[in-house]
Amino acid sequence: MSDEAAQHIARFMHAHSVAPARSAARHPIFGQIRHLMDVGGRSGVFANEIARKWPELKATVMDLPAMARAAQSYVDRAGMAAQVDTAGVNMFEQDWPTGPDAHFFSNVFHDWPEETNSVLAQKSFAALPSGGTITLHEMLMDDDGCGPWIPAAFSLLMLLGTLGKQYTFEELRLILEGAGFTDVQSVRSGMNHYSLVTAIKGA
Ligand SMILES: C[S@@+](CC[C@H](N)C(=O)[O-])C[C@H]1O[C@@H](n2cnc3c(N)ncnc32)[C@H](O)[C@@H]1O
């Protein structure tokens, strides 16, 4: 991907995610995190908003190299470079940075089928320290998979344009527990049917 293409794509998703990021950032789970890695963070909008809300927290935006360079320009323009950095890493093909005690995936699992998400959850589990946390930010489908209509409409877009879909909490719980995480919970983030699904890497 060229740097120009990455900037263009980052601009589109940034516009979609800025309001959900501000809403999610208020959640107290982020107050317990020392170093958050925003996996597939694109423009870094979540990392920037979470770090702005929680000044003690450090964040790293991890994405493909061209996208990580685009994210760095958003971090710099947001004036967040003292708290937020970037890492150009292919999440499937390369080792993940160790050091962060929390991994955050927003709108990443909805791009991929369950088998691929299981690989991501396993890579996350391997890179986190004991006691570390994983958080998924996704629009959840109801348990019967039939609604609500906003996630269902979003799921249709995912089915047409990606290899994924919007998941139910139960589907995500099974993926996370299959990778070794425990204490899987879900809370509404307060915006457009988005939820935060959290789990812990036990000692
Ligand atoms: C749907 S976007 C989510 C962006 C952001 N988290 C949000 O919610 O606004 C998915 C992100 O995953 C990244 N991605 C896709 N394949 C990747 C890979 N192999 N390694 C690292 N990041 C990847 C894309 O570049 C993109 O930024």
Side-chain angles (χ1 to χ4, degrees):
M1 188 187 332
S2 71
D3 281 13
E4 193 182 332
Q7 282 284 356
H8 181 71
I9 296 166
R11 204 173 303 131
F12 166 73
M13 195 80 202
H14 185 84
H16 167 88
S17 289
V18 70
R22 285 184 185 156
S23 179
R26 290 199 287 265
H27 200 279
I29 55 170
F30 298 110
Q32 292 153 30
I33 290 170
R34 178 182 51 78
H35 185 171
L36 179 90
M37 188 155 75
D38 184 2
V39 182
R42 195 157 275 185
S43 73
V45 60
F46 282 88
N48 277 337
E49 293 300 333
I50 293 167
R52 199 192 308 280
K53 174 71 184 164
W54 303 97
E56 303 297 317
L57 174 149
K58 174 175 164 36
T60 298
V61 183
M62 179 177 128
D63 209 300
L64 293 165
M67 195 58 75
R69 287 192 290 277
Q72 189 64 52
S73 70
Y74 278 85
V75 171
D76 293 343
R77 272 181 277 154
M80 295 304 295
Q83 260 179 281
V84 183
D85 63 10
T86 58
V89 175
N90 185 317
M91 63 189 178
F92 296 118
E93 295 176 5
Q94 292 176 268
D95 290 336
W96 295 16
T98 51
D101 58 331
H103 292 163
F104 178 78
F105 298 74
S106 172
N107 294 314
V108 172
F109 276 42
H110 78 175
D111 280 349
W112 304 103
E114 290 176 14
E115 317 80 78
T116 309
N117 287 329
S118 292
V119 171
L120 289 176
Q122 286 159 17
K123 292 199 75 151
S124 170
F125 191 86
L128 282 169
S130 290
T133 58
I134 184 170
T135 299
L136 312 180
H137 177 258
E138 292 281 349
M139 280 190 205
L140 294 184
M141 296 292 293
D142 289 338
D143 288 344
D144 64 6
C146 293
W149 76 266
I150 292 177
F154 212 45
S155 195
L156 192 55
L157 288 179
M158 294 306 115
L159 287 163
L160 291 170
T162 73
L163 299 174
K165 61 172 190 166
Q166 296 309 124
Y167 289 93
T168 66
F169 170 73
E170 195 57 18
E171 289 170 322
L172 294 178
R173 184 180 69 75
L174 288 174
I175 290 169
L176 295 179
E177 288 183 350
F181 289 101
T182 56
D183 198 19
V184 186
Q185 297 184 28
S186 166
V187 286
R188 289 293 289 273
S189 89
M191 177 90 200
N192 279 355
H193 293 278
Y194 272 109
S195 293
L196 296 164
V197 176
T198 60
I200 298 172
K201 175 174 174 174

